[in-house]
Amino acid sequence: MPAAQAIVVSRHGGPEVLVLREVEVAAPEPHQVQIAAKAVGLNFADVYERLGLYEAAPPPPFVPGFELAGVVTAVGRDVTRFRPGDRVAGATRFGGYATLVNVSEWFCFAMPAAATFEEAAGFPCVYATAFHALYNLGQLRDGMKVLIHAAAGGVGIAALQLARQKDVEIFATAGSDEKLKVARAHGAHHAINYEKEDFEPIVRAATKGRGVDLVLDSVLGEVFRKSYRLLAPTGQLVAFGAATMMPAGPRPNWLKLAWQWLRRPRVDPLQMIGENRAVSGFNLVYLFDDRRLADVCFGPLARLWHEGALKPLIGLTLPFERAGEAQEALRGRRTVGKVVLTVGTPAATSFSHDR
Ligand SMILES: NC(=O)c1ccc[n+]([C@@H]2O[C@H](COP(=O)([O-])OP(=O)(O)OC[C@H]3O[C@@H](n4cnc5c(N)ncnc54)[C@H](OP(=O)(O)O)[C@@H]3O)[C@@H](O)[C@H]2O)c1
């Protein structure tokens, strides 16, 4: 069995619990491709997992990571779409922080010729998330008004680029003025710093009191409550994250978390019926075994990516070994776009966004 380097969550805790270890990698199963990673994409959930706040994660020790890009080194006997030497991006249910990874062929994308490995590693998860929220659940169509929170983050930038495929009016929120600039550059028509200003009256006034048709909420807390109130009749809020529950320090404050848990927003179906409003939620991590998800999301995404309509924004690149530092930048809201680890390249080209 070939050996690989992997970043392992050795126990729950701060960034110091991430350790580099050698692991053995099995031969790819019939429908898997084996990828020698050149870059690994980070996701917000990786941080929750390390902290012990992610229900779907296995108990430590485990290898986190949902996505990577690299070169195919071997394929399972039933794989027809890829061959050794292909440049691919892939999504995996954990195990992505490694130099050699087996990925289901259904969750792999052929890379566009112009894409870098860093861009490709930042593609699968955030675009699939944004696509599912905007198009599968949100049924985005021309003429809609859409509100996207945390719009300068990984999912946020993907959502802006995907929303722009329709003739819609986009309201974006972000936590700093620099992030607002990034959101505007990626298609937001209105950008609001929700740390400084109350977005609810601003959006209400800009829509002449009507509100918006679709909200993408990965923040929850007060942001959810205000966003729900901003829904126009037949409007929908799609909830898919709880960034407000991310600890402000490298370790959880259990008392504060318990309070936030008790105070989490609740929805009332009777109220939704009376108001013609809808709330939906999803977590792709529970759909990884479902090939339909790949068919529904990945087909159109691959086409748009290859046509050049989508381009991941990579805000911070660090070497593989500095995964803890990269995760802490993500936890601390200091990043825009995607955070990516490079494998086997000595230098980091890094841009860290200070609030
Ligand atoms: N359900 C799913 O299938 C799924 C899949 C992927 C991602 N997600 C969720 O989507 C969201 C975006 O994921 P991502 O990986 O692209 O991360 P990201 O957006 O790049 O980073 C998270 C962002 O959340 C915002 N935020 C608001 N309150 C925060 C707080 N108290 N602490 C830290 N950040 C806070 C920050 O942006 P501002 O400073 O602009 O507020 C931060 O940059 C996350 O909530 C993630 O859990 C869900």
Side-chain angles (χ1 to χ4, degrees):
M1 263 196 275
Q5 296 291 312
I7 307 274
V8 176
V9 174
S10 55
R11 59 193 160 80
H12 292 144
E16 70 285 353
V17 305
L18 296 177
V19 293
L20 194 64
R21 285 201 187 140
E22 193 168 290
V23 294
E24 290 195 333
V25 182
E29 290 177 9
H31 273 292
Q32 286 183 328
V33 300
Q34 191 166 79
I35 305 171
K38 299 284 188 192
V40 169
L42 263 68
N43 286 280
F44 210 55
D46 302 347
V47 188
Y48 288 124
E49 289 161 29
R50 191 197 77 206
L51 293 165
L53 299 174
Y54 202 70
E55 201 183 15
F62 69 95
V63 179
F66 292 116
E67 58 191 350
L68 69 151
V71 178
V72 174
T73 51
V75 297
R77 65 166 186 267
D78 295 333
V79 170
T80 53
R81 302 189 309 157
F82 300 100
R83 355 177 245 222
D86 285 352
R87 293 172 2 119
V88 294
T92 172
R93 193 175 191 269
F94 307 107
Y97 283 24
T99 56
L100 197 62
V101 183
N102 292 327
V103 175
S104 158
E105 68 167 321
W106 315 121
F107 296 122
C108 278
F109 293 89
M111 283 171 55
T116 65
F117 286 116
E118 288 81 2
E119 286 169 353
F123 186 82
C125 290
V126 291
Y127 284 89
T129 304
F131 187 88
H132 193 54
L134 287 169
Y135 289 99
N136 296 342
L137 298 174
Q139 297 287 306
L140 192 73
R141 53 194 180 276
D142 289 349
M144 279 187 160
K145 296 182 195 304
V146 56
L147 170 60
I148 298 171
H149 293 300
V155 174
I157 295 291
L160 290 173
Q161 292 182 6
L162 281 166
R164 255 183 2 199
Q165 305 305 312
K166 297 282 177 195
D167 181 14
V168 294
E169 187 173 356
I170 305 174
F171 295 82
T173 64
S176 74
D177 293 343
E178 289 77 8
K179 288 183 180 186
L180 297 186
K181 275 187 214 150
V182 177
R184 278 198 200 92
H186 285 264
H189 301 102
H190 313 262
I192 306 156
N193 181 340
Y194 57 1
E195 287 296 316
K196 277 194 195 157
E197 293 181 291
D198 186 348
F199 69 87
E200 185 180 0
I202 296 173
V203 175
R204 196 176 298 291
T207 57
K208 300 188 172 55
R210 178 182 173 273
V212 295
D213 303 290
L214 181 62
V215 181
L216 264 55
D217 182 13
S218 61
V219 179
L220 295 191
E222 274 311 297
V223 167
F224 178 100
R225 293 188 183 90
K226 291 176 181 181
S227 300
Y228 182 85
R229 291 195 292 263
L230 279 172
L231 287 177
T234 75
Q236 183 185 180
L237 185 156
V238 180
F240 57 96
T244 193
M245 296 182 86
M246 179 57 81
R251 277 160 218 82
N253 175 339
W254 294 106
L255 211 59
K256 187 173 174 205
L257 275 174
W259 176 245
Q260 285 177 316
W261 175 258
L262 289 172
R263 292 255 313 129
R264 70 190 184 279
R266 319 253 171 157
V267 292
D268 175 355
L270 273 181
Q271 195 185 345
M272 287 195 284
I273 292 168
E275 295 170 343
N276 275 303
R277 288 170 168 160
V279 174
S280 58
F282 72 93
N283 191 343
L284 296 187
V285 80
Y286 296 114
L287 297 177
F288 260 82
D289 297 329
D290 184 348
R291 207 187 121 186
R292 278 173 309 170
L293 176 75
D295 291 342
V296 170
C297 287
F298 285 13
L301 283 177
R303 183 177 52 76
L304 288 166
W305 193 20
H306 280 260
E307 285 172 2
L310 306 175
K311 186 172 168 61
L313 172 70
I314 309 303
L316 174 63
T317 308
L318 285 172
F320 187 61
E321 298 73 17
R322 289 166 65 184
E325 200 180 313
Q327 282 196 356
E328 283 300 278
L330 191 53
R331 182 193 58 70
R333 301 171 80 167
R334 295 195 303 274
T335 61
V336 293
K338 285 292 293 189
V339 182
V340 166
L341 305 174
T342 49
V343 178
T345 45
T349 46
S350 81
F351 164 66
S352 182
H353 173 88
D354 288 319
R355 284 162 58 77

